Amino acid sequence: MTIKQANEKFEILDKRISNSGDQPGNNQFTNGKDLDSADLIDRAEKFLEWGRLKSGALDTGNGLFTDSCWNMCLDIYLCGLKDQQVTVSAIAHSSGIPMTTAMRYINVMAEQGLLQKSSNPADQRMVFVAVSEECQAKIEKLLSNAPF
């Protein structure tokens, strides 16, 4: 899947989420404020585990069943909930995809306002990454409506 295709899918999902409240009788989506941090962490970890299980069961080594951008974004979100700073290189390394591809995805997500990058004051070679407030709200909306 290309970055463009991934972004298109994210935009479609975002529109569905945004429009779901406009449909008569559709009160399924909440604003995500009903869950505390522990619940959000639990749901995010379940999403990640489900993705790994799905990929492990169906992927034949070509990456067709991975959700690299979503997984990286969710990992970064989890680190934020746990008050852990995470570096760009750590997320790229843990993503399981080639480092250059992961770095490119991270840069695109930052350009689109989903992620925020900041320099480590103690070591200018290191760059921290966090989800933006807008991205955090969208993730929490998804997590609050997760089926598990």
Side-chain angles (χ1 to χ4, degrees), residues 23-125:
Q23 298 171 3
N26 188 355
N27 296 325
Q28 301 175 39
F29 263 40
T30 63
N31 63 7
K33 298 210 187 294
D34 300 326
L35 301 175
D36 63 18
S37 290
D39 291 329
L40 291 168
I41 289 170
D42 181 58
R43 287 177 180 228
E45 288 174 343
K46 284 179 181 177
F47 258 109
L48 286 171
E49 180 63 23
W50 170 247
R52 289 182 184 113
L53 288 170
K54 173 188 63 155
S55 179
L58 299 172
D59 197 355
T60 58
N62 54 14
L64 289 176
F65 292 94
T66 63
D67 295 318
S68 302
C69 289
W70 168 246
N71 290 342
M72 285 190 290
C73 205
L74 204 52
D75 270 336
I76 295 165
Y77 169 79
L78 273 168
C79 288
L81 281 182
K82 296 175 181 180
D83 291 323
Q84 300 170 343
Q85 287 189 308
V86 64
T87 62
V88 168
S89 58
I91 287 296
H93 180 71
S94 70
S95 69
I97 60 176
M99 182 70 83
T100 54
T101 303
M103 297 295 278
R104 187 172 58 249
Y105 287 170
I106 289 168
N107 287 332
V108 169
M109 288 189 285
E111 288 168 9
Q112 292 187 352
L114 298 171
L115 302 179
Q116 297 173 330
K117 293 159 84 177
S118 60
S119 296
N120 180 348
D123 185 348
Q124 294 297 317
R125 296 170 295 170

Side-chain angles (χ1 to χ4, degrees), residues 128-148:
F128 293 122
V129 65
V131 294
S132 67
E133 287 182 25
E134 181 182 352
C135 183
Q136 180 173 339
K138 289 178 180 181
I139 290 172
E140 288 177 358
K141 195 171 191 179
L142 286 167
L143 292 176
S144 70
N145 292 284
F148 38 74

